[in-house]
């Protein structure tokens, strides 16, 4: 009898049932869709690898071109970066790296066809290149136009070539060149270090040096797997928590409404001898029914959406794939959510005596509404806080100099810093002298050919990046203070970063390479130093535990070369406030960069590039979305679910106050006055929900960000709450709910009923 | 389990509210109802009639005292045990009918069996439908019935489990005169045929006269128990004498 009663109760309250099922299905569907989309993308990898590698069955790399007799094609290659400045703007973000090869007579690729322009003229005096489209695109949109000149930057110098045409490739197999140059362009890169790649149209059977790549190789297939997998792995634990919270809020909401709506029936049953267990059974049947229907609908919708998404056979040759493991997890989560919802909602129902329940008038479950709003909003806030807290560690500290200018690859003379003083708009400028040093106790290896010895002989070992400038920025200090740090630098001591302190358990007073540590600075430095290519120079690994600030004398003492042999590859500067206010970061940067290049003689062996500390303020994209990826869009799904739940709550409140509203209308209250009563009630509920949901969401999001950040040991942890987004989310959900709920409520309050 | 007494209440006390607002409605209340008896319980509004009915139906625990129904002390039972006892041994009829709107008439009548996880006795349901003039209404839902019919369904439900005691709280309060009279006759007839004691709470002398005895509740306790002689005028006169002694 209880299941029959529960089912009938749901059928009589279709709106409540549908809202709960829809909300739960969206939560389940969001997880199923996201995880299955990643699985689908990854499932395409083998087919896409094979397609992209056509017509080659095998390819190998080596140092020398003549290492592969029997190869169909052998090409010499050079690794370069592209200095592409659309509209004069230096693109922030990771460097655009390309592998340039001498062009064969015709396009050597099968699937990657020439779609714009023409192939290079081998004998032309002008350097020309044909590029693979994806290699030259930044942020999916911008690329140099055919006919435009682009500068390519190597380790020894630069080469400027005209874009003759584009190949239409997206992702190429590892090692494949993505730029083809004519003789003039390739010859301009004579001084650069070269490698070779050999292509075979069948298994070579050649005993020759070099790693063998085939379309089926693990490394090749892995290269075609989606970056979204990695990003989704970061976000999955939090997404699951947020989905559970949201589904829970909808379910609790519905159950509380159900208990209120069925209070009299349950009281009558209790009067006639139903024990409390019967109430539990009634609520449990409703809860599991809604949870299961929502889950089933969500899975079906999620899978269907992935199927639709992957209908394009060209883009998805392997069709749709599903992550049944994570789908299975949602199946286990579903009864857990249902049980929690039952626990939340039963308390008041079990406490109420049946005779009291009969006597009570049905009133809206405001406390329950506030709880469900809080749960749903907490899910939204949790994901937003997770993202913001995670990204905070990558945003450069505001104390860092306003800009770093790279002069690469050749640099300028250190004496040339004097030429750069007095530039309009620049408060102060200094050479920024970088030196990466390996940290293990090992005899120094012979210096690389053409370079000063900078120590180290095993590239895989960790290193320290020493930085010297004329002033130490006023960082926050985890140990010591600014004055102690400056005094220490004068004495030949160093200041390390908090990240290094954590990674190596070093503190003020300890030594590193025999140098005493004067202070520990709490500084974020990642994006600035990587964009300006401060790290990873001279074949040192890019990864490091953070900068060590030192004086010029200290850095030069660590370097093996005489000071006059060390070129000035970087400068750092601060703008004058009024100059920055007048021109903005982009405008100020372009003006100063141009002036620096002019004062250094507009050299052709180097390219002058200014990198703003505040990338986002500059208007270019930051590193953040690369880490968070699709998870950044997920919170809005939860917000939509919350809004749906709130609509149901408001409609239910209108139902509960139906008689009151009808009487008021009969006496003369206008629809507006009735609507305002509902709005006021909704505002109170939402305010309570926000007040509870924000702290809960912040706590969840912060701890989730700690877990994600553990992937990068030593990364500083921050709590960053995106207040503006949270406020916009709350207002948006609230307004959405009112727009849908008020008309329905007013329709039910006609005095004629 | 049989007993000569359907209901025994001894020294029952009950109050509402807390602190300064505390109101004691029953003070040392004692009442005995023999098996098969039909007694009306009268008193002015707020005198505690319905409160005692709820106590006797194990719907409320008393502050003090003892209540024994069909030989079992219900005041010593926990909620679960009391609920099961009520399901099997006590029938309750309310002024507001209190039928389950989503069950048809037959399901409402056999509710106690369903709650006991037993198959409903369709023969018993049919008998009760016929006895209470509800033949052919078994498949109808409460909102398809008149007020009088609904109250008769409530009576049928109260009788289904063959309880030792039926408690009726103002059963005619929501009925018109004709339906009220009809219900009273039904109760009287049933009392004659069955071994079930009936305690009927009312402030209506006509309804009270249906019963064999009337108990007058005053100052929280039973002031008198007298035969009704089935005479509404007599009951009315005694009511006035009891609660308005200054009236001629």
């Amino acid at each position: 009898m209880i299941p029959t009663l529960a089912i009938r109760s749901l059928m009589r309250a279709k709106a409540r049932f549908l809202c709960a099922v829809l909300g739960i299905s969206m939560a389940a569907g969001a997880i199923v869709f996201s995880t299955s989309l990643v699985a689908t993308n990854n499932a395409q990898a083998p087919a896409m690898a094979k397609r992209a590698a056509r017509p080659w069955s095998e390819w190998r790399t080596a140092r020398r071109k003549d290492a592969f007799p029997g190869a169909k094609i052998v090409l010499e290659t050079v690794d370069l970066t592209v200095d592409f400045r659309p509209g004069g703007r230096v693109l922030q973000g990771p460097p655009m790296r390309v592998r340039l090869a001498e062009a064969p007579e015709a396009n050597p690729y099968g699937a990657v066809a020439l779609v714009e322009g023409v192939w290079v003229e081998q004998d032309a005096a002008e350097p020309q290149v044909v590029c693979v489209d994806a290699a030259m695109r930044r942020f999916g949109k911008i690329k140099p136009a055919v006919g435009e000149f682009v500068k390519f930057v190597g380790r020894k110098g630069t080469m400027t070539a005209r874009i003759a045409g584009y190949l239409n490739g997206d992702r190429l197999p590892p090692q494949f060149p993505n730029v083809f140059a004519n003789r003039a362009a390739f010859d301009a890169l004579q001084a650069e270090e070269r490698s070779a790649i050999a292509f075979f149209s069948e298994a070579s059977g050649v005993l020759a040096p070099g790693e063998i790549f085939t379309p089926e190789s693990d490394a090749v297939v892995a290269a075609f797997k989606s970056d979204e997998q990695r990003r989704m792995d970061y976000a999955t634990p939090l997404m699951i928590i947020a989905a559970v919270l949201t589904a829970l809020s909808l379910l609790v909401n519905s159950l509380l409404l159900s208990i209120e709506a069925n209070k009299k029936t349950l009281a009558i049953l209790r009067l006639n001898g139903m024990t409390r267990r019967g109430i539990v059974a009634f609520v449990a049947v409703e809860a599991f029914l809604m949870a299961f229907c929502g889950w089933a609908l969500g899975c079906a919708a999620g899978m269907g959406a992935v199927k639709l998404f992957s209908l394009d056979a060209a883009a998805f040759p392997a069709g749709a794939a599903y992550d049944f493991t994570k789908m299975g997890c949602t199946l286990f989560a579903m009864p857990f959510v249902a049980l929690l919802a039952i626990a939340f909602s039963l308390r008041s129902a079990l406490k109420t005596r049946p005779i009291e329940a009969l006597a009570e008038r049905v009133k809206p479950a405001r406390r329950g509404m506030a709880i469900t709003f809080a749960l749903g909003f907490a899910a939204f806030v949790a994901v937003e806080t997770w993202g913001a807290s995670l990204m905070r560690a990558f945003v450069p500290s505001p104390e860092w100099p306003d800009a770093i200018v790279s002069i690469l690859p050749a640099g300028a003379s250190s004496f040339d810093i004097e030429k750069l003083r007095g530039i309009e708009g620049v408060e102060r400028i200094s050479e920024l002298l970088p030196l990466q040093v390996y940290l293990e106790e090992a005899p120094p290896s012979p210096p690389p050919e053409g370079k000063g010895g900078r120590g180290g002989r095993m590239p895989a070992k960790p290193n320290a990046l020493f930085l010297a400038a004329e002033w130490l920025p006023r960082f926050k200090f985890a140990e010591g203070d600014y004055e102690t740090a400056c005094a220490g630098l004068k004495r030949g001591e160093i200041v390390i970063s908090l990240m290094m302190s954590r990674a190596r358990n070093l503190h003020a007073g300890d030594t590193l390479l025999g140098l005493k540590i004067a202070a520990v600075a709490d500084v974020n430095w990642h994006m600035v130093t990587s964009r300006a290519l401060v790290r990873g120079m001279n074949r040192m690994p890019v990864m490091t535990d953070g900068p060590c600030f030192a004086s010029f004398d200290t850095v030069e003492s660590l370097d093996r070369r005489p000071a006059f042999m060390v070129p000035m590859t970087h400068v750092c500067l601060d703008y004058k406030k009024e100059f920055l206010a007048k021109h903005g970061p982009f405008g100020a940067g372009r003006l100063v960069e141009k002036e620096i290049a002019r004062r250094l003689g507009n050299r052709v062996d180097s390219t002058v590039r200014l990198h703003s500390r505040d990338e986002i303020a500059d208007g270019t994209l930051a590193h953040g979305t690369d880490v968070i990826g699709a998870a950044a869009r997920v919170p809005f799904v939860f917000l939509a679910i919350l809004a749906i739940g709130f609509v149901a709550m408001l409609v239910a409140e209108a139902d509960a106050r139906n008689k009151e509203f009808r009487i008021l209308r009969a006496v003369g209250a206008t629809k507006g006055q009735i609507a305002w009563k509902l709005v006021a009630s909704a505002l109170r509920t939402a305010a309570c929900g926000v007040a509870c949901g924000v702290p809960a969401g912040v706590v969840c999001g912060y701890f989730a960000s700690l877990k994600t950040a553990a992937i990068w040991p030593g990364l500083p942890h921050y709590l960053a709450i995106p207040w503006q987004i949270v406020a916009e989310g709350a207002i948006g959900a609230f307004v959405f709910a009112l727009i849908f709920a008020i008309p329905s409520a007013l329709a039910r309050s006609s005095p004629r009923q | 389990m049989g007993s000569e007494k359907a209901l025994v209440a001894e020294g029952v006390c009950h109050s509402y509210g807390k602190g300064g607002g505390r109101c004691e409605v029953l003070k040392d209340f004692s009442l005995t109802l023999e098996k098969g008896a039909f007694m009306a319980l009268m008193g002015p509004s707020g005198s505690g009639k319905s409160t005692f009915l709820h106590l006797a139906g194990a719907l409320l625990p008393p502050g003090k005292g003892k209540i024994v129904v069909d030989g079992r002390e219900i005041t010593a039972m926990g909620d679960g045990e009391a609920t099961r006892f009520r399901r099997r041994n006590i029938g309750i009829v309310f002024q507001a009918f209190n039928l389950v709107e989503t069950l048809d008439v037959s399901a409402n009548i056999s509710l106690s069996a369903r709650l006991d996880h037993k198959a409903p006795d369709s023969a018993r349901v049919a008998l009760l439908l016929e006895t209470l003039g509800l033949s052919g209404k078994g498949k109808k839902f409460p909102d398809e019935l008149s007020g009088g019919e609904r109250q008769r369904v409530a009576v049928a439900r109260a009788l289904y489990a063959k309880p030792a005691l039926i408690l009726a709280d103002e059963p005619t309060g929501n009925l018109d005169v004709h339906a009220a009279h009809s219900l009273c006759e039904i109760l009287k007839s049933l009392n004659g045929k069955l071994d079930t004691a009936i305690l009927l709470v009312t402030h209506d002398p006509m309804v009270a006269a249906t019963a064999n005895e009337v108990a007058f509740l005053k100052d929280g306790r039973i002031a008198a128990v007298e035969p009704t002689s089935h005479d509404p005028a007599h009951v009315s006169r005694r009511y006035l004498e009891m609660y308005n002694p200054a009236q001629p």
Side-chain angles (χ1 to χ4, degrees):
Chain A
M1 186 191 69
I2 301 290
T4 308
L5 277 177
I7 291 168
R8 284 190 189 166
S9 162
L10 284 175
M11 291 303 105
R12 281 157 69 102
K14 288 193 185 67
R16 173 171 64 82
F17 175 62
L18 284 172
C19 273
V21 166
L22 193 61
I24 295 166
S25 71
M26 284 176 75
I31 297 211
V32 168
F33 177 74
S34 309
T35 53
S36 291
L37 194 61
V38 170
T40 297
N41 283 332
N42 289 337
Q44 313 310 315
M48 288 170 74
K50 201 161 186 175
R51 188 168 65 184
R54 271 197 291 133
W56 311 113
S57 60
E58 192 181 297
W59 59 97
R60 295 179 184 228
T61 58
R63 301 285 286 173
R64 293 176 12 245
K65 193 174 172 179
D66 57 4
F68 299 106
K72 192 89 173 169
I73 289 183
V74 182
L75 301 173
E76 276 198 301
T77 62
V78 178
D79 289 334
L80 307 164
T81 58
V82 180
D83 184 14
F84 171 45
R85 307 189 190 199
R89 163 177 281 163
V90 169
L91 289 175
Q92 309 296 338
M96 289 173 69
R97 298 190 195 278
V98 296
R99 173 159 289 186
L100 182 146
E102 55 173 334
E105 289 307 315
N107 177 15
Y109 299 147
V112 183
L114 187 71
V115 290
E116 283 181 70
V118 295
W119 198 248
V120 296
E121 284 179 54
Q122 287 289 15
D123 298 322
E126 167 195 71
Q128 296 175 358
V129 292
V130 162
C131 308
V132 171
D133 187 284
M136 299 300 284
R137 279 193 184 278
R138 178 43 58 96
F139 313 129
K141 292 175 196 160
I142 318 162
K143 74 176 185 205
V146 171
E148 194 172 324
F149 283 87
V150 173
K151 188 182 277 189
F152 293 84
V153 182
R155 292 183 189 278
K156 299 283 174 59
T158 65
M159 181 272 293
T160 302
R162 188 174 65 85
I163 306 273
Y166 276 106
L167 298 163
N168 70 334
D170 184 6
R171 208 173 275 210
L172 288 181
Q175 312 301 331
F176 273 37
N178 47 21
V179 176
F180 294 99
N182 69 354
R183 213 161 287 127
F186 206 71
D187 288 347
L189 298 167
Q190 269 183 8
E192 300 292 336
E193 190 176 316
R194 296 182 180 192
S195 301
I197 182 168
F199 294 93
F200 300 86
S201 56
E202 53 190 41
S204 64
V206 172
L207 288 177
E211 191 177 350
I212 303 173
F213 294 94
T214 67
E216 294 80 20
S217 301
D218 289 344
V220 174
V221 172
F224 283 84
K225 287 196 173 176
S226 170
D227 286 337
E228 280 296 333
Q229 170 74 61
R230 173 174 51 86
R231 294 181 198 124
M232 194 58 63
D233 286 345
Y234 298 157
T236 296
L238 182 65
M239 272 182 48
I240 289 174
I241 292 172
V244 166
L245 275 179
T246 309
L248 185 62
S249 81
L250 265 295
L251 204 47
V252 167
N253 166 36
S254 183
L255 291 177
L256 285 172
L257 292 173
S258 170
I259 289 170
E260 281 304 316
N262 290 292
K263 207 163 212 174
K264 190 165 180 186
T265 300
L266 293 173
I268 292 168
L269 289 170
R270 288 276 281 136
L271 283 168
N272 281 275
M274 183 175 80
T275 60
R276 287 192 176 119
R277 205 179 288 178
I279 296 188
V280 175
F282 180 90
V283 174
V285 167
E286 278 208 8
F288 277 97
L289 204 57
M290 284 190 286
F292 181 77
C293 289
W295 172 83
L297 182 63
C299 283
M303 290 171 71
V306 169
K307 183 77 182 167
L308 278 174
F309 197 79
S310 57
L311 278 177
D312 181 355
F316 296 90
Y322 304 102
D323 189 338
F324 288 109
T325 306
K326 294 220 172 61
M327 228 183 284
C329 290
T330 61
L331 178 60
F332 282 108
M334 183 260 297
F336 170 71
V337 168
L339 285 170
L340 267 181
I342 293 165
F344 265 117
S345 40
L346 265 184
R347 199 166 156 265
S348 70
L350 290 176
K351 266 172 54 177
T352 308
R353 292 195 188 115
I355 203 67
E356 292 165 2
L358 273 179
E360 258 179 33
R361 69 177 175 86
V362 177
K363 58 180 186 289
R366 288 222 176 82
R367 188 181 55 173
M369 286 160 65
I371 290 172
T372 55
F373 191 97
L375 280 173
F377 197 63
F380 168 72
V381 171
V383 180
E384 290 292 346
T385 302
W386 168 81
S389 298
L390 206 57
M391 289 330 303
R392 181 70 181 78
F394 292 96
V395 176
S397 296
E399 300 86 13
W400 198 269
D402 290 338
I404 293 181
V405 183
S406 60
I407 310 161
L408 293 172
S413 162
S414 289
F415 296 111
D416 285 349
I417 188 62
E418 299 308 322
K419 294 181 185 174
L420 303 181
R421 299 204 193 278
I423 292 178
E424 185 196 346
V426 175
E427 177 74 31
R428 54 183 175 178
I429 190 167
S430 162
E431 179 181 1
L432 182 68
L433 180 61
L435 174 68
Q436 273 181 266
V437 182
Y438 283 117
L439 292 178
E440 76 284 12
E441 298 296 323
S445 57
E449 192 177 21
K451 304 277 180 197
R454 281 192 169 167
R457 52 181 184 165
M458 287 178 279
K461 286 287 183 184
N463 61 86
L465 168 67
F466 286 86
L467 288 177
E470 289 174 19
W471 71 89
L472 180 70
R474 283 198 166 266
F475 296 126
K476 296 189 186 57
F477 286 87
E479 293 178 36
D481 53 36
Y482 183 70
E483 286 70 33
T484 314
C486 290
L489 292 183
K490 282 190 186 137
R491 289 194 298 268
E493 295 171 7
I494 61 174
V495 173
I496 66 171
S497 69
L498 184 58
M499 182 169 170
M500 177 173 279
S501 170
R502 285 189 178 131
R504 297 178 180 282
N505 197 24
L506 290 171
H507 301 279
D510 294 339
T511 58
L512 179 69
L513 290 178
L515 300 165
K516 190 175 172 192
I517 297 169
V520 177
D522 184 359
V523 54
N524 288 348
W525 47 272
H526 307 271
M527 286 196 281
V528 180
T529 54
S530 71
R531 305 299 179 250
L533 296 175
V534 177
R535 294 182 269 143
M537 292 185 61
N538 298 322
R539 296 178 189 247
M540 290 290 284
V542 173
M543 300 306 291
T544 178
D545 289 329
C548 299
F549 300 95
S551 66
F552 283 111
D553 289 340
T554 303
V555 173
E556 283 163 2
S557 72
L558 289 170
D559 198 326
R560 300 295 173 95
R561 295 172 299 170
F564 71 89
M565 280 186 66
V566 178
M568 180 173 73
T569 56
H570 295 84
V571 298
C572 60
L573 60 92
D574 284 329
Y575 298 113
K576 289 182 179 164
K577 281 197 178 67
E578 55 275 11
F579 184 76
L580 186 61
K582 182 179 174 188
H583 296 285
F586 169 60
R590 298 291 71 74
L591 289 169
V592 169
E593 180 188 82
K594 196 172 169 185
E595 181 60 15
I596 290 175
R598 188 190 72 77
R599 291 191 183 200
L600 292 178
N602 287 320
R603 305 166 65 139
V604 296
D605 60 349
S606 283
T607 179
V608 173
R609 290 165 62 94
L610 185 142
H611 301 265
S612 300
R613 179 196 63 225
D614 297 326
E615 287 190 349
I616 298 165
D618 182 58
T620 55
L621 290 181
H623 181 57
T625 51
D626 183 52
V627 174
I628 295 176
R633 295 188 285 277
V634 164
F636 298 97
V637 172
F638 297 127
L639 207 59
I641 296 170
L642 168 69
I644 290 170
F646 205 44
V647 168
M649 288 191 281
L650 291 175
V651 170
E653 166 152 14
D655 273 345
R657 299 174 74 179
N658 194 12
K659 189 173 176 182
E660 175 194 347
F661 289 161
R662 281 193 282 123
I663 292 169
L664 287 171
R665 291 278 281 130
V667 167
T670 62
K671 281 188 175 179
Q673 287 171 310
I674 302 292
W676 176 241
K677 279 185 172 293
L678 272 175
V679 169
S681 171
L683 267 172
R684 280 193 297 273
T685 304
C688 291
V690 167
C692 298
V694 167
V698 164
V699 166
C700 285
Y702 174 63
F703 281 104
S705 74
L706 292 185
K707 185 141 172 50
T708 308
I711 295 167
W712 300 287
L715 194 70
H717 300 148
Y718 288 96
L719 169 62
I721 306 170
W723 289 113
Q724 187 173 340
I725 294 176
V726 167
E728 285 169 3
I731 293 168
F734 183 73
V735 168
F736 173 87
L738 284 181
I739 287 170
F740 281 92
I742 299 285
S744 166
L746 289 177
R748 294 158 196 253
S749 67
S750 167
R752 291 200 190 115
Q753 286 178 1
Chain B
M1 170 175 313
S3 166
E4 287 305 311
K5 313 268 186 226
L7 170 68
V8 178
E10 289 176 356
V12 174
C13 301
H14 192 78
S15 55
Y16 291 107
K18 294 176 188 174
R22 195 176 184 82
C23 170
E24 205 168 3
V25 291
L26 297 176
K27 302 170 194 173
D28 198 24
F29 179 103
S30 296
L31 181 69
T32 300
L33 201 64
E34 301 291 333
K35 199 173 176 179
F38 188 176
M39 180 184 286
L41 178 61
M42 295 191 80
S45 283
S47 58
K49 309 185 294 296
S50 295
T51 300
F52 175 70
L53 214 72
H54 297 155
L55 291 168
L59 294 167
L60 284 175
K64 264 200 268 187
K66 187 166 83 168
I67 299 175
V68 177
V69 174
D70 198 25
R72 295 278 307 276
E73 186 183 342
I74 61 172
T75 42
M77 294 179 185
D79 180 78
E81 192 184 357
T83 303
R84 283 185 289 274
F85 183 82
R86 180 170 65 247
R87 180 195 305 169
R88 295 161 190 161
N89 299 281
I90 302 174
I92 307 180
V93 180
F94 289 94
Q95 180 177 347
F97 323 134
N98 287 337
L99 302 179
V100 179
E101 299 291 327
T102 51
L103 296 177
D104 64 21
V105 166
S106 294
N108 264 286
I109 291 173
S110 59
L111 196 54
S112 58
R114 291 167 193 271
L115 290 170
D116 252 341
H117 306 292
K118 291 179 188 161
D121 182 348
S122 47
R124 176 128 183 96
V125 171
L127 174 64
L128 287 167
L129 284 171
E130 193 184 335
T131 304
L132 288 158
L134 293 167
S135 296
K137 307 254 182 193
K139 292 294 176 198
K140 292 213 181 274
F141 284 85
D143 58 358
E144 296 173 304
L145 305 175
S146 67
E149 287 171 333
R150 284 192 230 178
Q151 195 60 296
R152 279 182 271 152
V153 172
V155 170
R157 181 178 67 190
L159 288 168
Y160 177 85
K162 298 179 189 170
L165 174 68
I166 285 184
L167 303 169
D169 189 359
E170 307 267 13
T172 60
N174 276 354
L175 303 178
D176 59 42
V177 170
H178 177 74
H181 177 73
S182 175
L183 184 71
C184 290
E185 291 301 313
I186 288 172
L187 289 174
K188 193 171 164 184
S189 163
L190 285 171
N191 176 250
K193 291 179 194 170
L194 304 172
D195 212 15
T196 300
I198 303 176
L199 180 63
L200 172 71
V201 163
T202 185
H203 62 269
D204 185 339
M206 190 205 83
V207 174
T210 311
N212 298 326
E213 296 173 288
V214 58
F216 292 102
L217 178 54
K218 191 173 180 181
D219 297 327
R221 45 173 72 86
I222 297 294
V225 180
E226 299 169 0
T228 64
S229 307
H230 299 293
D231 182 357
H234 170 73
V235 173
S236 179
R237 192 169 52 249
R238 287 296 296 132
Y239 184 91
L240 285 172
E241 284 169 5
M242 186 65 61
Y243 301 113
N244 293 285
Q247 291 278 341

